[in-house]
Amino acid sequence: MGGWMILPIIGLVGTLVFTLINLYGVVTEWEGIKAIIAGDNQTTAALRLSVAGSFFGGLALIGLAALCLYRIFTYSPSVPRLMTIFYIGLVVVSLAELAGTPISPT
C-alpha cells in the first residue's frame, strides 16, 4: 500500500467518527425522536421524513466507510470502484440532509 492512501484512510476514519457522533444524538434525544415518530402534531409529522432519511443515510455511510477501510487493508482490487460509490453516496446523503433541513423563520 502506497503512502498516498493515507488521505483516503483519514477521510474514511473521520467519516466514521463524525457520523457516529452525529447519530449518537438519536440516543441522547430519544424522547424527541419518539415524538417525531408518533407525529402527534403537524410539526413533528413534517420532520419524520427528514429524521428517517438522516438516520438511514448515516447508517449507510458508516457501513460503506467501514467496508472501504476493510477492503483497503485487505488489498482488494475493488477499492477504486467502492470508493467511487462511497463518495457519490456521501454527496447524495449530504445534499439530501441539506434539502431536508427545516428552515426556521427569523
Side-chain angles (χ1 to χ4, degrees), residues 4-67:
W4 64 271
M5 288 299 291
I6 192 66
L7 294 176
I9 291 170
I10 291 170
L12 289 167
V13 170
T15 299
L16 277 172
V17 169
F18 290 124
T19 305
L20 284 169
I21 290 169
N22 188 24
L23 288 180
Y24 182 69
V26 172
V27 175
T28 59
E29 300 295 331
W30 184 244
E31 291 303 315
I33 298 296
K34 285 195 309 190
I36 290 171
I37 291 170
D40 293 336
N41 59 41
Q42 188 175 3
T43 305
T44 57
L47 292 173
R48 211 180 286 160
L49 183 61
S50 311
V51 170
S54 177
F55 179 72
F56 291 115
L59 289 180
L61 283 179
I62 288 170
L64 268 173
L67 181 61

Side-chain angles (χ1 to χ4, degrees), residues 42-105:
Q42 188 175 3
T43 305
T44 57
L47 292 173
R48 211 180 286 160
L49 183 61
S50 311
V51 170
S54 177
F55 179 72
F56 291 115
L59 289 180
L61 283 179
I62 288 170
L64 268 173
L67 181 61
C68 286
L69 281 171
Y70 172 75
R71 294 284 171 93
I72 286 172
F73 289 116
T74 58
Y75 302 102
S76 173
S78 66
V79 170
R81 182 178 50 243
L82 196 57
M83 289 297 291
T84 303
I85 293 168
F86 169 75
Y87 287 127
I88 290 170
L90 186 62
V91 168
V92 168
V93 168
S94 297
L95 290 176
E97 290 243 353
L98 181 64
T101 303
I103 299 172
S104 61

